[in-house]
Amino acid sequence: MLRDILNSNGQRQQPMNLQFHKIYIKKHDEVSILFADIVGFTKMASGCTAQELVKILNTLFGRFDDLAKKNSCMRIKILGDCYYCVCGVPNPSPHHAICSIFM
């Protein structure tokens, strides 16, 4: 990697315009972000088989997705035992904070 950054004289070269994914950025003024993490997940996971754990997480996150739809929120990401969603995006809502609380 360092070889890619330095030219043949050992001097830093200008970075190439490479992008992993195209990024779309839009400002939103009224948004709530919800981050939900399962307390005690590691302990719980150690007492389950992989199949049981996947089933538990699938059921839980399916319920979160249902709640998100019901409360006009949008899931952003599931990462391990963490669920991320936003309220007030892509459609602005003056009730974004209340919608995130009802999640």
Side-chain angles (χ1 to χ4, degrees):
M1 185 171 162
L2 186 58
R3 190 175 42 227
D4 295 335
I5 296 172
L6 302 177
N7 63 21
S8 59
N9 296 330
Q11 295 186 0
R12 186 177 178 91
Q13 58 186 3
Q14 293 296 326
M16 296 174 61
N17 190 12
L18 299 176
Q19 206 171 26
F20 182 66
H21 289 290
K22 190 163 182 131
I23 299 172
Y24 300 92
I25 299 172
K26 182 178 177 184
K27 183 179 177 184
H28 297 277
D29 293 320
E30 301 291 329
V31 175
S32 293
I33 301 170
L34 176 74
F35 168 81
D37 183 61
I38 300 171
V39 175
F41 177 75
T42 304
K43 184 176 180 181
M44 180 188 73
S46 66
C48 298
T49 67
Q51 292 84 0
E52 291 169 331
L53 188 59
V54 168
K55 185 177 179 180
I56 290 167
L57 290 175
N58 187 53
T59 300
L60 178 65
F61 292 143
R63 289 179 182 175
F64 268 108
D65 284 343
D66 291 343
L67 284 170
K69 189 174 186 177
K70 180 180 174 183
N71 290 292
S72 303
C73 297
M74 180 174 69
R75 175 175 28 111
I76 298 297
K77 186 115 180 141
I78 294 174
L79 184 61
D81 67 321
C82 301
Y83 186 93
Y84 303 85
C85 72
V86 293
C87 302
V89 175
N91 302 318
S93 170
H95 308 293
H96 61 90
I98 293 169
C99 291
S100 67
I101 290 169
F102 284 127
M103 282 292 300

